[in-house]
Amino acid sequence: MSVVVATGSLPQPPTPLARAAETPGSVRCVAALTVLLSRPARQGSAAIVLPLVAFAVTTMLMLIVAGGTRMFLTDPRTGQMAFLYGVLSVLALILLAVPTATLGAAAARLSSRRRNDRLSTLRLLGATNTEVGAMAVGEASAVAFAGALVGAAAYGIALPLVGLLPFFGGPVGATAVWAGWPIVLAVILGVGLIATVSAAASLRRVRLTPLGVRRRTEAPPRRTRTLVISGIAIVAVGTIVAQFSSVSTVLAPAASIALLLALFAGALALVNLIGTPIVAARGRSMARRARTAAQLIAGRELAAHAPTAWRRVSSIAMISFIAVVGGSGIALTEIAGDEPGMTLFADIRTGVLVTLGAGFVLLAASVGVSQAASVLDDRELIVGLDRLGMEPAELARARRITVMLPLRWAAAGGAVVGVALALPVVGISLVVAPLTMAVIAATFVAGFGAVALALLASRPLVTAIRRGA
């Protein structure tokens, strides 16, 4: 009888994670597991610090640019040039919005990838793909919102410094460049939304099983058709630009400016479109003719992941484009000198320099975050090469090649597009002016230097992976 009573009082088996959603404490359980997942562990603190900093930088720069755009659109000091100020400010916002969103998406992917080695453990404990995916996306969203709040706070601290920028003949003041609470909240929510969507999208290419986490990959296609179509489109854009002076005479001023902006955007889009197949072809060639282990690894990496390699440095194309067009504008301001009514040219010069500075920050952050994500994706390769005796310096050289090679193509492509589009507008004398060449050279030096420093930021992550192995 005592046996029967004891049997009737036996405790129930633990509730599997797959049915945890039916219990009142399931939310606390999922939250606790998410907190445990967010620990850096073997991957080092860089795996969580880099995306946090990237989200903060994204938010701060977006708020600064949005505040400046709002100022140029509403400030009465623009006077009769209000329309032109508005067009130029919106152009700067568009040029920086795309790489800013790309940086935010890369940070979200890094945040969701860095703990893939623990996801299969949760699957073994009974968690479903939906529950594990919710934890992963929730963690990425939490890091994004935390970084966005830090970036908003940094924006508030930097407002007095931003207010010292000279526009309209003097410092604009912190009040003028304040974006306003609605825009601040919208940017914070937008950064969080980008992170959530990007993290969820990255999980679509991941197959979670109790035996491990595997990336769904396909053989990279050869984009010969893309190159042919892009070549035809480039010729068409060049023809329109060459005849722009004739076309603009039959259009209204607003339509002419809109057409010019569309040509600028189309040309940059074409550069990004043909960049991937060029990098893939260059990687295949390097792998076939490799003389060192670093060249072989870099060539295969570029051939297999050309879109990722191009995406991480594509911002330099925009920066080079701004350097050519903006450098011509700065050369024009020097010719104008301090003549009355030339405040607009001085403001254009300041705007170009601010846009270039923001572009450098975005480029460095994007490369650093993308490299960290690449390190986590290639962890097994890094461990295998380390066990085979490959020197850390040789591995670092291979990773440097995978960044610097597409960087050179992107910088050259952006500069060529800038020259092609600036010639019909300002003439060859301003494009090849010494000041323009100085701006372009300084941009290349600063851009490549920023990327080199960003590469160093991923070194601790590689070291942590090698030590953990």
Side-chain angles (χ1 to χ4, degrees):
M1 179 66 67
S2 60
V3 175
V4 175
V5 173
T7 305
S9 62
L10 284 176
Q12 297 296 322
T15 303
L17 287 178
R19 296 194 299 268
E22 302 174 1
T23 64
S26 60
V27 176
R28 291 193 299 270
C29 177
V30 171
L33 287 173
T34 303
V35 172
L36 291 175
L37 279 175
S38 62
R39 291 182 179 179
R42 293 177 302 168
Q43 296 161 356
S45 59
I48 193 170
V49 171
L50 278 176
L52 186 68
V53 172
F55 286 124
V57 170
T58 298
T59 305
M60 184 179 68
L61 288 179
M62 280 298 294
L63 288 174
I64 291 176
V65 176
T69 303
R70 178 178 178 273
M71 176 189 70
F72 288 120
L73 292 175
T74 60
D75 200 303
R77 288 176 290 183
T78 56
Q80 298 179 349
M81 296 293 181
F83 176 76
L84 186 56
Y85 272 109
V87 170
L88 294 176
S89 62
V90 171
L91 176 60
L93 179 63
I94 293 174
L95 288 174
L96 292 179
V98 175
T100 300
T102 303
L103 171 60
R109 288 190 291 270
L110 170 60
S111 182
S112 63
R113 286 178 187 174
R114 67 181 189 83
R115 51 15 251 117
N116 278 350
D117 57 337
R118 310 180 197 180
L119 297 182
S120 58
T121 303
L122 293 177
R123 290 285 285 116
L124 277 173
L125 294 176
T128 64
N129 274 340
T130 301
E131 291 167 344
V132 173
M135 294 178 196
V137 174
E139 181 196 350
S141 300
V143 174
F145 278 109
L149 291 175
V150 173
Y155 167 68
I157 296 174
L159 266 181
L161 296 177
V162 178
L164 296 177
L165 292 174
F167 287 102
F168 314 123
V172 294
T175 305
V177 293
W178 165 244
W181 286 112
I183 295 180
V184 171
L185 294 177
V187 170
I188 292 176
L189 293 176
V191 170
L193 181 61
I194 289 174
T196 303
V197 173
S198 300
S202 66
L203 286 178
R204 294 181 62 185
R205 297 187 61 82
V206 174
R207 186 178 180 184
L208 300 175
T209 69
L211 299 180
V213 179
R214 297 191 295 273
R215 302 289 297 177
R216 290 194 181 102
T217 58
E218 298 176 354
R222 293 177 181 262
R223 299 177 174 84
T224 306
R225 182 182 302 177
T226 301
L227 285 174
V228 174
I229 296 176
S230 300
I232 297 174
I234 289 175
V235 173
V237 171
T239 303
I240 297 174
V241 170
Q243 303 297 326
F244 181 77
S245 58
S246 302
V247 174
S248 61
T249 56
V250 299
L251 297 176
S256 299
I257 294 177
L259 175 61
L260 188 60
L261 294 180
L263 291 173
F264 287 173
L268 287 176
L270 288 174
V271 170
N272 285 322
L273 189 62
I274 66 176
T276 297
I278 289 177
V279 169
R282 186 67 182 89
R284 290 191 294 268
S285 175
M286 179 182 294
R288 287 194 302 266
R289 304 175 182 178
R291 297 183 178 179
T292 63
Q295 291 178 348
L296 178 61
I297 295 172
R300 290 185 173 180
E301 176 72 17
L302 290 174
H305 304 100
T308 302
W310 176 264
R311 195 184 306 117
R312 72 165 62 105
V313 298
S314 58
S315 298
I316 193 68
M318 180 269 295
I319 294 174
S320 301
F321 173 81
I322 296 175
V324 174
V325 178
S328 302
I330 292 175
L332 182 61
T333 62
E334 291 298 317
I335 295 176
D338 297 327
E339 297 180 13
M342 292 297 109
T343 305
L344 173 64
F345 292 108
D347 291 347
I348 292 176
R349 176 177 56 193
T350 304
V352 168
L353 296 177
V354 171
T355 305
L356 285 175
F360 291 145
V361 174
L362 287 173
L363 176 65
S366 179
V367 171
V369 169
S370 299
Q371 276 295 101
S374 176
V375 168
L376 294 179
D377 283 344
D378 297 338
R379 181 176 55 197
E380 294 182 359
L381 175 62
I382 294 173
V383 172
L385 293 175
D386 181 66
R387 290 174 176 174
L388 288 174
M390 187 174 187
E391 294 293 331
E394 191 72 4
L395 179 60
R397 182 168 177 264
R399 306 197 69 86
R400 186 168 59 251
I401 293 174
T402 60
V403 174
M404 289 302 180
L405 189 146
L407 182 72
R408 291 194 293 267
W409 281 99
V416 169
V417 169
V419 171
L421 296 182
L423 279 175
V425 179
V426 298
I428 190 173
S429 59
L430 287 177
V431 172
V432 299
L435 188 55
T436 304
M437 294 292 103
V439 171
I440 296 173
T443 298
F444 273 60
V445 172
F448 280 68
V451 171
L453 292 177
L455 287 174
L456 294 177
S458 63
R459 289 279 186 90
L461 192 56
V462 176
T463 303
I465 289 176
R466 293 176 60 250
R467 289 177 178 174

